[in-house]
Amino acid sequence: MESDTTVRRLKPYGTRSFATPDDDDSSRHRCGDNGYSGDPKRKPEVSLYLLREGVATSLVCVFVFALWGLVHLSLRQLVIGKPSGDFNAVRARVHLEQITSVGPRPVGSHENEVLTVGYLLEQIEKIRVETAAGPNQLTTDVQRPTGTFSIDFLGGFTSFYDRVTNIAVRLEPKGGAKHLMLANCHFDTVANSPGASDDAVSCAVMLEVLHSLANQSTPIHHGVVFLFNGAEENILQASHGFITQHPWAKQVRAFINLEAAGVGGKEVVFQTGPENPWLVEAYVQAAKHPFASVVGQEVFQSGIIPSDTDFRIYRDFGNIPGIDLAFIENGFIYHTKYDTADRILTDSIQRAVSDGSALC
């Protein structure tokens, strides 16, 4: 049986409403042309909410794009550098690849004493000629010291060396310098390793730092000696020959030793002193990303690890304060045939100069 009662059809919220004979006047007032069904006072609130969401989304997008642009600009400045004297990590990588291309460079080998020495002298001479008209002067001295010393390393022994190779490069204002800062690396290797991290990359960094400082348009404040020593793996012989026999050594007031206990990654300050906290403070102020640990120094001084660096020689025989920096990543590759140039990122090279050589 059909009922006389009017049955109203329920419409879902938000659907478009059309007037029908069954709709009364109140329903017409409730349903607008924009499809919104509900309290008319809520319409402005919803519109304002959507507007705020849109503005916020736009601002986030602008921020993200601006941040993206800054990151890419920073990366370009980080890696590429400028020809006006800024450090160029790409050029340093070329040095790294050239030095390691001859393979292992044990002391006394043709690869170490002739090929590598020849390459380093060639690059240093190019820098000297390029910067001769500038406010700084560059002097190169090839030292071949002979000597002997005793050390308590590995239970104590006496080391004899004969005509090992040092390439000492002195950069100073043309008026001369009374005090010198020493930057040290070694280009020799153990017999079975191309030694990219230990220590060719440090030599590459030092070549590029030398190029950068020599190209400055103003005189440097203090003199710097860049020592490329060729007999570190023979128990620290070349550094002893320099600090005890070279005439420039008497003017050295502090040193930075660039080393490796791993392949690539970031460098850590793992030894410093003796005393002279000013040097650590200078490192903290100069380095963009200072990173140091006392653990390394405690381990080395304990004698647990049968190893050492040129830091010991400059500290004990030169009585000068210094900082020992070393790459620490992938320590299991250190002193192996896998210590190759391709394992060292260009960013690691850039970080090395930003955090260590900035002290020069």
Side-chain angles (χ1 to χ4, degrees), residues 206-283:
M206 280 179 38
L207 275 176
E208 187 54 28
V209 171
L210 173 62
H211 180 275
S212 177
L213 290 178
N215 269 287
Q216 288 188 355
S217 58
T218 56
I220 59 177
H221 296 294
H222 303 287
V224 183
V225 173
F226 295 85
L227 182 64
F228 302 84
N229 89 61
E232 191 269 351
E233 299 294 353
N234 271 26
I235 319 295
L236 321 177
Q237 293 174 340
S239 56
H240 181 270
F242 174 82
I243 204 63
T244 60
Q245 300 179 41
H246 201 285
W248 295 349
K250 298 177 182 179
Q251 295 176 263
V252 174
R253 297 294 177 262
F255 71 91
I256 300 173
N257 185 46
L258 302 180
E259 257 293 353
V263 179
K266 57 186 178 181
E267 287 195 320
V268 58
V269 174
F270 70 101
Q271 291 192 96
T272 186
E275 302 178 350
N276 292 280
W278 64 267
L279 190 57
V280 177
E281 293 173 1
Y283 165 74

Side-chain angles (χ1 to χ4, degrees), residues 221-358:
H221 296 294
H222 303 287
V224 183
V225 173
F226 295 85
L227 182 64
F228 302 84
N229 89 61
E232 191 269 351
E233 299 294 353
N234 271 26
I235 319 295
L236 321 177
Q237 293 174 340
S239 56
H240 181 270
F242 174 82
I243 204 63
T244 60
Q245 300 179 41
H246 201 285
W248 295 349
K250 298 177 182 179
Q251 295 176 263
V252 174
R253 297 294 177 262
F255 71 91
I256 300 173
N257 185 46
L258 302 180
E259 257 293 353
V263 179
K266 57 186 178 181
E267 287 195 320
V268 58
V269 174
F270 70 101
Q271 291 192 96
T272 186
E275 302 178 350
N276 292 280
W278 64 267
L279 190 57
V280 177
E281 293 173 1
Y283 165 74
V284 172
Q285 293 176 3
K288 293 183 179 180
H289 309 285
F291 181 51
S293 173
V294 298
V295 175
Q297 188 155 354
E298 293 295 331
V299 170
F300 266 75
Q301 292 181 355
S302 71
I304 296 175
I305 296 179
S307 180
D308 218 323
T309 73
D310 287 321
F311 178 92
R312 172 191 286 267
I313 299 297
Y314 297 130
R315 180 195 65 197
D316 295 352
F317 292 92
N319 295 314
I320 52 177
I323 286 181
D324 212 358
L325 294 111
F327 288 106
I328 59 174
E329 190 172 288
N330 299 324
F332 59 92
I333 299 176
Y334 168 74
H335 273 195
T336 72
K337 65 180 181 181
Y338 303 107
D339 183 7
T340 53
D342 61 294
R343 297 181 184 275
I344 301 177
L345 299 177
T346 303
D347 288 346
S348 293
I349 300 174
Q350 182 67 50
R351 182 185 173 93
V353 67
S354 299
D355 294 351
S357 303

Side-chain angles (χ1 to χ4, degrees), residues 6-174:
T6 302
V7 179
R8 298 183 182 274
R9 287 170 294 178
L10 298 176
K11 295 180 284 295
Y13 176 81
T15 58
R16 193 168 182 83
S17 175
F18 297 91
T20 65
D22 293 331
D23 294 327
D24 56 15
D25 292 338
S26 62
S27 67
R28 289 192 183 94
H29 289 295
R30 287 196 305 269
C31 302
D33 291 338
N34 63 356
Y36 175 79
S37 178
D39 187 356
K41 293 181 179 179
R42 292 183 58 193
K43 264 200 306 187
E45 295 178 4
V46 172
S47 299
L48 184 60
Y49 171 78
L50 293 175
L51 178 62
R52 284 198 298 262
E53 287 291 304
V55 172
T57 302
S58 300
L59 290 175
V60 169
C61 291
V62 170
F63 173 77
V64 170
F65 278 108
L67 183 62
W68 178 85
L70 287 173
V71 169
H72 278 260
L73 177 62
S74 299
L75 286 174
R76 286 181 61 82
Q77 293 175 340
L78 176 71
V79 175
I80 298 175
K82 302 175 182 178
S84 61
D86 289 352
F87 182 87
N88 189 317
V90 175
R91 190 161 49 213
R93 170 164 288 282
V94 173
H95 295 318
L96 169 62
E97 293 173 350
Q98 287 295 319
I99 294 171
T100 56
S101 66
V102 302
R105 303 173 299 282
V107 176
S109 68
H110 180 76
E111 289 79 8
N112 191 66
E113 310 299 336
V114 178
L115 298 182
T116 306
V117 169
Y119 177 78
L120 291 172
L121 289 175
E122 178 185 2
Q123 298 307 310
I124 293 165
E125 178 62 15
K126 286 182 179 179
I127 296 172
R128 189 194 67 79
V129 172
E130 179 183 339
T131 61
N136 301 305
Q137 62 185 12
L138 190 154
T139 307
T140 304
D141 181 58
V142 178
Q143 181 200 25
R144 301 192 186 276
T146 297
T148 180
F149 64 97
S150 297
I151 195 171
D152 59 0
F153 171 64
L154 288 178
F157 68 95
T158 299
S159 176
F160 295 87
Y161 55 92
D162 181 32
R163 293 183 58 79
V164 295
T165 305
N166 277 323
I167 301 175
V169 185
R170 178 169 177 155
L171 179 68
E172 60 187 339
K174 286 188 173 177

